[in-house]
Amino acid sequence: MNKRIKFSLVMSLMLILFSLVNFTHTVGATSNNNRVLLVYDSQNDVKNDKKNIDALQRSLTSMGLQVKTIPQADYKKNTLNEKYLGVITMINWRQVGLINQDFINDRDKFSGIKLYIGENLTQTETNQLGIKVQKVYQQQFILKNDTNHELLPFSQSITVITQQAEGAEQVGTLSTQQSDQKSYPFGYINGKQGYLPFFTNKGLSLIVQTQMIAQLFNRVGKFRPLLTITNVTPYTNLQTLDELSKFCYRMEIPFAISTTSVSENTEMKAFDRFTAVLRNIENRGGIIFLQTPEVSSGVDTDGQLLNQKFLTYIVSLARQQVFPVGISSAGFWNQDKILRNNSLKYADHWLLMQDGTKVTYIDQDNNSQVAKQSFFAMPATSLNNVKKNNSTTFVIPTALTISMPYSQKELEHVENEIKNLHLSWYNPVEEGFSSEINTETTSLKYNHGDYLVNGKLEDIRNTNLNLNKQFSDGKSNSLFKNYFKVQGNILAVFFVIIMVILLIFIFIGQRVYWNRFKR
């Protein structure tokens, strides 16, 4: 009996050890399943083409890929290794091109997924892609994809594929405008190898590029777009914002807003008015992304001030029953260790928008992280020349953004713009949207339209606030405030009467003066 027990114990221990070894091996084997190295030649600040790098980084994040970005000048030998799922080479300024020989050698030997974007393909690259190429000068191509087409900007030169490998895939087509119209592949995939002749941050090109990259990295999804109103602040025309949310509610259009907040004066009536409109939005099916604040360079080197401010945002809004479902920010926040750890890390859903003109880093590390879901934000106007209908979907989570209107005329324009998009919108309730924002003291959860705070279901109260009413900011009123106001009005009337009497005397005096000359 004892022997059987001992035997059972030994077998149990062996099974446990085997499981642990197997688990460790699995984690090790899959630890590189979402890491990608992005190496670019130059930001090309002359043409502001760093926006192309930003758009590529954000689209990869929305695919669930963790991206390490390195300018070629900073690349060190053996950086690219088996830790990475794939590598992307991006020629962002053709006059510079790729000249780092250490990277070229490492990339040639790399056995993972490889994507080359831009001109000046090496012979090794063309051999691995299984293609023949030709450089075409002074052309304006038409990009075609399914039933959509887009006239591309005039290009000085572009490298096109003239011969493909057998079994290779093509995403989109480049066509010339001559009578003997020639066609070339736009996005090209051959096994683990991919090629794009360029990358741009707008229009049909961006949609096709994203589709091709998602296909290459096996990250293709099917997502309806999320309508998102951006540039909302506590100083926004709140009446207009409320009317816009009513419009979306009447049209049965699910929507989101990206809004900033304040960390001071949250006890004032103006903040009550702001949060009252946000509660209306929540009750009308809208969801709220809390936008990161402005970055002050050189002031907050360790992120403590930012952390404090951001936590105050969350708590002060929650007290007013305003519950953000995620964090929105410009893309560069995910490229900075301090900014990322003191804002984005609190939420499992992100809305990543295009970098603005002001980009301020605190501790730039270019190690973008991933969330449970990241929406890639692009202006709704990017689809102006793209055919779309109720069945139009995107391969990655996409937010189509429209800037907050500030007048009745702008509001009417925005409402017409939304109507004319003719899209089937992402619905957080129907599609099982579930998110969390967690701080040390507060847990906010959104689940299929329900809001939970620290595990307790919240019933958001309705707001019947008069948005046109002017509120006091909580300052005590003077005892004689109305007395002086009345006294001022009396004095104003008195001076008007005196002025009228003086004008009458001037008129009479002028007539007497002229009558003396007539005699």
Side-chain angles (χ1 to χ4, degrees):
M1 185 72 178
N2 290 335
K3 287 183 179 180
R4 288 182 180 179
I5 293 171
K6 287 180 181 179
F7 178 78
S8 299
L9 287 170
V10 170
M11 289 299 294
S12 299
L13 285 169
M14 287 179 67
L15 285 170
I16 291 169
L17 287 170
F18 177 79
S19 299
L20 287 170
V21 171
N22 188 54
F23 174 76
T24 306
H25 175 74
T26 303
V27 170
T30 58
S31 60
N32 70 339
N33 68 344
N34 72 336
R35 298 186 66 187
V36 173
L37 182 68
L38 168 60
V39 179
Y40 64 90
D41 59 340
S42 168
Q43 286 192 345
N44 196 358
D45 291 326
V46 175
K47 292 186 177 180
N48 201 24
D49 279 351
K50 60 185 177 183
K51 288 185 177 180
N52 295 336
I53 301 171
D54 164 58
L56 179 56
Q57 288 171 328
R58 289 186 295 117
S59 64
L60 292 168
T61 300
S62 292
M63 295 175 200
L65 295 170
Q66 188 178 339
V67 186
K68 171 69 176 175
T69 305
I70 304 178
Q72 68 165 337
D74 294 344
Y75 181 86
K76 300 293 188 292
K77 187 176 181 180
N78 296 326
T79 300
L80 178 61
N81 53 41
E82 67 278 358
K83 292 189 301 183
Y84 290 97
L85 169 69
V87 60
I88 299 174
T89 307
M90 186 179 192
I91 305 303
N92 201 42
W93 195 354
R94 63 185 181 85
Q95 288 86 346
V96 175
L98 195 64
I99 56 176
N100 188 317
Q101 198 60 47
D102 285 335
F103 172 64
I104 293 172
N105 292 336
D106 288 349
R107 184 193 61 191
D108 289 347
K109 294 181 291 185
F110 183 65
S111 60
I113 297 171
K114 288 190 271 192
L115 171 62
Y116 192 96
I117 302 172
E119 297 192 55
N120 305 324
L121 284 159
T122 65
Q123 188 60 51
T124 304
E125 283 286 333
T126 55
N127 290 342
Q128 290 178 348
L129 286 162
I131 58 174
K132 289 185 179 179
V133 297
Q134 175 187 347
K135 190 170 280 193
V136 179
Y137 298 92
Q138 310 291 326
Q139 283 283 355
Q140 188 172 23
F141 285 96
I142 299 171
L143 173 61
K144 298 178 181 178
N145 188 53
D146 298 328
T147 58
N148 293 305
H149 65 275
E150 177 184 54
L151 183 63
L152 300 176
F154 184 84
S155 59
Q156 292 292 330
S157 67
I158 185 171
T159 301
V160 296
I161 297 172
T162 56
Q163 185 175 319
Q164 306 180 44
E166 187 178 347
E169 300 175 73
Q170 177 179 332
V171 183
T173 303
L174 291 174
S175 300
T176 60
Q177 297 186 68
Q178 286 86 352
S179 54
D180 59 335
Q181 190 180 68
K182 295 180 180 178
S183 296
Y184 309 97
F186 178 59
Y188 172 85
I189 299 172
N190 183 18
K192 289 185 176 181
Q193 316 288 325
Y195 173 69
L196 281 168
F198 60 83
F199 190 95
T200 186
N201 59 76
K202 57 187 176 182
L204 179 63
S205 302
L206 178 57
I207 294 171
V208 180
Q209 290 159 181
T210 304
Q211 179 184 338
M212 179 268 175
I213 296 172
Q215 198 168 321
L216 176 64
F217 283 92
N218 195 27
R219 301 290 169 128
V220 174
K222 193 174 183 181
F223 302 91
R224 289 189 289 176
L226 174 65
L227 175 63
T228 306
I229 310 302
T230 59
N231 299 323
V232 177
T233 75
Y235 312 103
T236 290
N237 186 327
L238 298 178
Q239 182 71 39
T240 304
L241 177 60
D242 199 56
E243 288 297 322
L244 181 56
S245 70
K246 283 181 185 176
F247 164 79
C248 291
Y249 183 67
R250 287 194 305 268
M251 297 292 294
E252 297 183 348
I253 297 174
F255 68 103
I257 68 162
S258 170
T259 181
T260 58
S261 188
V262 291
S263 56
E264 298 177 352
N265 301 323
T266 56
E267 74 285 351
M268 292 187 173
K269 292 292 184 181
F271 188 72
D272 290 344
R273 186 169 176 254
F274 171 59
T275 53
V277 176
L278 298 186
R279 284 198 302 277
N280 283 346
I281 287 170
E282 289 175 326
N283 280 320
R284 291 167 187 157
I287 57 175
I288 297 168
F289 284 86
L290 180 59
Q291 187 174 335
T292 51
E294 290 279 335
V295 183
S296 300
S297 58
V299 177
D300 189 19
T301 54
D302 58 0
Q304 285 189 5
L305 295 176
L306 171 63
N307 189 282
Q308 213 170 23
K309 182 183 287 187
F310 210 73
L311 292 178
T312 304
Y313 286 174
I314 295 170
V315 172
S316 59
L317 288 172
R319 283 174 181 164
Q320 297 288 340
Q321 288 196 307
V322 175
F323 309 118
V325 301
I327 307 297
S328 63
S329 76
F332 76 91
W333 282 68
N334 197 22
Q335 307 299 323
D336 187 292
K337 183 179 179 180
I338 297 294
L339 297 179
R340 186 173 58 241
N341 289 343
N342 290 284
S343 59
L344 295 176
K345 77 166 187 181
Y346 291 118
D348 64 0
H349 277 71
W350 300 342
L351 175 66
L352 297 179
M353 298 179 288
Q354 187 181 64
D355 287 346
T357 52
K358 185 182 178 182
V359 174
T360 306
Y361 293 102
I362 296 177
D363 185 8
Q364 182 180 4
D365 64 355
N366 289 327
N367 283 319
S368 67
Q369 302 299 305
V370 294
K372 180 180 177 181
Q373 188 175 56
S374 298
F375 288 92
F376 176 82
M378 59 187 295
T381 52
S382 294
L383 302 183
N384 283 351
N385 297 320
V386 178
K387 292 179 182 177
K388 48 201 175 295
N389 52 47
N390 285 335
S391 62
T392 300
T393 58
F394 296 81
V395 295
I396 60 174
T398 302
L400 294 181
T401 62
I402 295 176
S403 188
M404 172 64 203
Y406 286 92
S407 65
Q408 184 61 33
K409 188 175 181 180
E410 287 183 12
L411 175 61
E412 292 171 3
H413 174 76
V414 165
E415 288 176 352
N416 288 329
E417 186 179 355
I418 294 171
K419 286 178 184 176
N420 293 332
L421 284 169
H422 302 300
L423 289 166
S424 176
W425 298 101
Y426 178 87
N427 189 321
V429 176
E430 290 181 1
E431 303 197 33
F433 184 88
S434 179
S435 69
E436 290 186 34
I437 293 181
N438 289 304
T439 70
E440 291 180 0
T441 59
T442 309
S443 171
L444 306 181
K445 292 185 180 181
Y446 177 91
N447 188 30
H448 299 211
D450 290 331
Y451 292 92
L452 293 92
V453 179
N454 295 331
K456 181 183 176 183
L457 185 65
E458 288 282 334
D459 184 18
I460 298 173
R461 63 183 181 274
N462 288 320
T463 301
N464 296 313
L465 211 54
N466 181 2
L467 298 176
N468 293 315
K469 182 180 178 181
Q470 296 300 312
F471 290 105
S472 161
D473 281 335
K475 297 176 182 177
S476 57
N477 293 328
S478 171
L479 181 63
F480 296 102
K481 178 181 176 183
N482 291 333
Y483 169 77
F484 288 115
K485 184 177 180 181
V486 172
Q487 188 182 53
N489 291 337
I490 292 171
L491 285 172
V493 172
F494 177 71
F495 282 120
V496 168
I497 292 171
I498 291 175
M499 184 65 69
V500 170
I501 292 171
L502 285 173
L503 289 172
I504 292 171
F505 278 122
I506 291 170
F507 177 73
I508 293 172
Q510 189 181 39
R511 291 193 65 178
V512 171
Y513 179 77
W514 285 110
N515 285 337
R516 290 177 62 188
F517 287 101
K518 288 180 181 179
R519 291 175 185 176

